Amino acid sequence: MNEQQRYALEIVSQQLDDSVFPRIMDGGLVLPSKPHIQFQHLGKELQNGQESPAPTVSFKGSSEQRTGTASFGTALAAAATSLGERPPGASSPFALQPEHDELYGGVFAVSNAYPGTEIHQVQEGFWLKSQSLLFPLPGRQAIFLTAINTRYRFIAGWGFWFGGHMGASWIGPRHTNYPDGSICAFEPNSPVWNFGDSLIELLDLYTLWAVRHLHLEHKGWWPGPQASDRAYERANEFQGHEHCGCAQPKGRYATCCQAADKIGRSVQEALTHRLFDSRWVRKPPASVLRFASSCIVPSFLPNGYWAPTPA
C-alpha cells in the first residue's frame, strides 16, 4: 500500500473502531462517515454448529471528522461525484418465493450497486460473484462469493483478495465460521441483516468486514466491535486495545476480560481448543475455492444444516 492508501485505511478503520459506520458508495467504495451516523454491528462465530452469543449494541458516531491530504481529498471528491451513495434502507429487499423458476426480485439491483456482479442460478437458489473496490485509489480489492438458498432461506458468503493474474486468496481465518470459513460479519437473526433484507446491504457489510481484515493485516489488530464467548480464543487472538468480545463487553479487552481470560485458560481448555481446531480447520470448500479463481460455479448451495449461518 502507498501512503495515500494507508491513510484511507487509517481514517476509515478509526471510525470503525469508534463504532462509526462509514459511507459505502457503488462499487463497494468506502468513504469516511458523515457526523452522527448510527452503527449497529457485532460479529458472532459458529463453532461446531453452535452459536457464540453476542449482544447487539447501538452506537452513535462522533461528529469530529478528520481531513486527508489534498490528493486524497481530490480522489474522494471524484469518487463521490462519479459513484452513487446509498442512504441506509434505500435498497429494496429481494423476494422470497422459492416456487418462482426465475431469478428473484432485487437480485439484479445488485449489479447496479456492485458493477460486474455475476449472477448464477442453480437449483434451489443462486450464486453471486461480486467485486468490492474498498478505496478510491488503486490497491487491494475484495471478491465476495454469496450463496443464496431460497428453499431453506439461508445465505453464506466467502471473501477473497483479488490478485489479478495471481488468482484469489481467501480472507481469513479470523472472524470466519467453523468449519467452512464463511464470512462472520454480523449476528444472525438480528436487526443488522436477516434473510430477505437487501442483498446490497449484505455486500456492504461484507465490504466493511474486508476493510477490517485489511487493517488487521497491516496494523495487527481488529478495529471495531467483535464477539467471542471462548476465553481461550480471545486470549490468543485479541489485542488488549481491541474491543472485548464477551457477552457483556465493558470497553476494551485489556480492561474487561483479558486478565481473567489468561488466568482461566486451563491446560484442559487449551487441549480442548487445540483438538477442536485440528479437527475443524476453518477453510472454504474446494468448490468455493475453484469458483473464486475460475468460472466453475458450484453445483451445491449451503442449506443451513451442514454449513453454519453467516454470523
Side-chain angles (χ1 to χ4, degrees), residues 29-85:
L29 176 68
V30 181
L31 302 180
S33 176
K34 296 177 180 178
H36 302 296
I37 290 184
Q38 295 290 328
F39 177 54
Q40 190 173 39
H41 176 84
L42 280 176
K44 177 191 288 185
E45 297 177 24
L46 278 81
Q47 301 153 1
N48 200 17
Q50 300 298 317
E51 297 179 357
S52 301
T56 300
V57 185
S58 296
F59 302 93
K60 177 170 287 190
S62 169
S63 61
E64 180 180 357
Q65 299 292 308
R66 296 166 56 181
T67 57
T69 62
S71 56
F72 180 60
T74 301
L76 291 179
T81 56
S82 62
L83 296 172
E85 181 179 357

Side-chain angles (χ1 to χ4, degrees), residues 174-237:
R174 189 165 175 183
H175 290 299
T176 61
N177 291 313
Y178 291 92
D180 68 351
S182 57
I183 294 173
C184 173
F186 57 90
E187 183 181 1
N189 303 317
S190 73
V192 176
W193 197 90
N194 287 292
F195 192 91
D197 292 345
S198 166
L199 293 174
I200 296 172
E201 293 177 1
L202 175 66
L203 291 176
D204 289 348
L205 289 170
Y206 287 176
T207 293
L208 293 182
W209 173 86
V211 168
R212 296 171 195 268
H213 262 286
L214 192 59
H215 187 270
L216 176 66
E217 177 183 326
H218 287 275
K219 297 293 185 178
W221 58 277
W222 186 268
Q226 56 187 336
S228 173
D229 68 341
R230 303 176 71 206
Y232 191 87
E233 182 177 14
R234 293 194 300 264
N236 278 273
E237 294 188 354

Side-chain angles (χ1 to χ4, degrees), residues 121-203:
Q121 187 176 17
V122 294
Q123 186 176 2
E124 297 184 347
F126 46 90
W127 283 88
L128 301 179
K129 187 174 186 178
S130 310
Q131 188 167 323
S132 188
L133 297 172
L134 302 185
F135 295 111
L137 301 169
R140 192 80 67 89
Q141 298 179 7
I143 293 176
F144 302 118
L145 306 181
T146 309
I148 299 99
N149 191 316
T150 54
R151 177 182 178 184
Y152 292 99
R153 297 171 57 86
F154 177 81
I155 285 184
W158 288 265
F160 294 84
W161 295 125
F162 177 68
H165 66 281
M166 299 297 292
S169 58
W170 174 56
I171 303 176
R174 189 165 175 183
H175 290 299
T176 61
N177 291 313
Y178 291 92
D180 68 351
S182 57
I183 294 173
C184 173
F186 57 90
E187 183 181 1
N189 303 317
S190 73
V192 176
W193 197 90
N194 287 292
F195 192 91
D197 292 345
S198 166
L199 293 174
I200 296 172
E201 293 177 1
L202 175 66
L203 291 176

